[in-house]
Amino acid sequence: MAGPRRRSVLVARLRARAPGAPQTAILDDLRACILDGEVPPGSPIPVDAVADAFGVSRIPVREALMTLIGEGLVDHRPHLGYRVAKLTAEEFGEVYLVREALETAALRVAVGQAGAGDDERAGAAHAALEAAVRAGDGRAYHRESRRFHLALIRPCRMRRLLHMLGTAWNMTEPLQPMTHLGPDERALLHRDHAAMLAAFTARDADALAAACAAHHHRLQSYIARLPRDTGLFANPDSAPL
């Protein structure tokens, strides 16, 4: 006799939404649930249950999932259905290399266009990071780290570059990598953030790029040491092409 069906965390969260949601809301809500880390990589996405939660037919749900496949957040396999995308460790490293290149380009422009208001926003984001480090809150640190980086790069006002960076960043979000690091590792990354903030407020593009590179290399080395046998990463032999 088959055991009880495991309750979908994704569907449980979506049931709190208002029924009859428009197409854009379905896409936005599905994306938000995947990005906040509560629906781990590899989690199934039951189309019928999601459609029922939204009070719509399967068609708009499938359309939203196709968009999320294009964004690298969802995978689909015949006879197996839709799942939250799962990267191999090697793919994860590749995405971080892309992120570093795009972020460095954005920072070099941003630092020359930033003003006092941008310094205040970056300082506030850094203070929130400090609070997360002191509290030992890995999820808050993960969330505030992205907020801090965005505060530094947004003054570049390069819409397409920021979109590409956001897309690449989103691909790593379901794993919530910062939550898997220890307090000592987060403390060293936070020291890198302090160096980036100092260079940003001093309007020193070269120092900012160097601090960003050091930060990314440290982060990449930490990610490379995450265990491969805990289900965090996809098996290279089973990863979709």
Side-chain angles (χ1 to χ4, degrees), residues 7-16 33 39 44-53:
R7 188 184 185 198
S8 169
V9 176
L10 176 67
V11 173
R13 293 192 56 193
L14 292 175
R15 289 196 185 282
C33 286
V39 185
I45 304 175
V47 175
D48 288 336
V50 171
D52 181 64

Side-chain angles (χ1 to χ4, degrees), residues 174-200:
L175 179 60
Q176 297 280 294
M178 294 293 187
T179 65
H180 302 288
L181 303 181
D184 292 341
E185 293 168 323
R186 285 197 291 267
L188 287 174
L189 291 171
H190 189 53
R191 188 177 69 182
D192 296 339
H193 287 144
M196 293 173 68
L197 179 62
F200 180 80

Side-chain angles (χ1 to χ4, degrees), residues 1-65:
M1 180 176 178
R5 180 176 296 179
R6 183 180 176 186
R7 188 184 185 198
S8 169
V9 176
L10 176 67
V11 173
R13 293 192 56 193
L14 292 175
R15 289 196 185 282
R17 270 65 173 175
Q23 179 68 40
T24 54
I26 294 171
L27 176 60
D28 290 345
D29 285 352
L30 283 170
R31 185 189 292 115
C33 286
I34 293 171
L35 292 181
D36 71 8
E38 298 225 359
V39 185
S43 298
I45 304 175
V47 175
D48 288 336
V50 171
D52 181 64
F54 279 115
V56 298
S57 72
R58 293 161 55 98
I59 294 174
V61 174
R62 288 185 180 277
E63 289 175 351
L65 290 173

Side-chain angles (χ1 to χ4, degrees), residues 10 27-28 98 108 119 141 197 199 204 229:
L10 176 67
L27 176 60
D28 290 345
V98 171
R108 283 194 172 276
D119 292 344
Y141 186 87
L197 179 62
D204 189 334
D229 58 353

Side-chain angles (χ1 to χ4, degrees), residues 8-210:
S8 169
V9 176
L10 176 67
V11 173
R13 293 192 56 193
L14 292 175
R15 289 196 185 282
R17 270 65 173 175
Q23 179 68 40
T24 54
I26 294 171
L27 176 60
D28 290 345
D29 285 352
L30 283 170
R31 185 189 292 115
C33 286
I34 293 171
L35 292 181
D36 71 8
E38 298 225 359
V39 185
S43 298
I45 304 175
V47 175
D48 288 336
V50 171
D52 181 64
F54 279 115
V56 298
S57 72
R58 293 161 55 98
I59 294 174
V61 174
R62 288 185 180 277
E63 289 175 351
L65 290 173
M66 290 301 295
T67 298
L68 294 175
I69 288 174
E71 295 178 5
L73 294 176
V74 169
D75 288 333
H76 178 261
R77 293 192 176 189
H79 312 300
L80 294 178
Y82 298 90
R83 291 180 178 270
V84 177
K86 203 173 190 180
L87 299 175
T88 66
E90 291 72 21
E91 289 170 336
F92 210 83
E94 290 172 9
V95 174
Y96 266 90
L97 288 175
V98 171
R99 277 177 46 177
E100 178 185 357
L102 293 173
E103 185 172 356
T104 301
L107 286 172
R108 283 194 172 276
V109 176
V111 73
Q113 300 184 163
D118 298 305
D119 292 344
E120 291 177 6
R121 281 184 284 274
H126 189 263
L129 267 173
E130 180 76 30
V133 170
R134 290 181 176 177
D137 189 336
R139 286 185 65 83
Y141 186 87
H142 185 93
R143 181 180 63 251
E144 298 302 337
S145 177
R146 182 167 185 170
R147 176 187 166 203
F148 172 75
H149 282 263
L150 289 176
L152 297 184
I153 65 176
R154 275 182 176 145
C156 77
R157 297 191 290 277
M158 300 170 72
R159 182 172 57 87
R160 294 187 184 276
L161 189 154
L162 292 174
H163 174 73
M164 288 188 289
L165 178 57
T167 299
W169 202 309
N170 284 351
M171 292 174 69
T172 65
E173 285 295 86
L175 179 60
Q176 297 280 294
M178 294 293 187
T179 65
H180 302 288
L181 303 181
D184 292 341
E185 293 168 323
R186 285 197 291 267
L188 287 174
L189 291 171
H190 189 53
R191 188 177 69 182
D192 296 339
H193 287 144
M196 293 173 68
L197 179 62
F200 180 80
T201 56
R203 305 292 183 258
D204 189 334
D206 290 338
L208 180 55

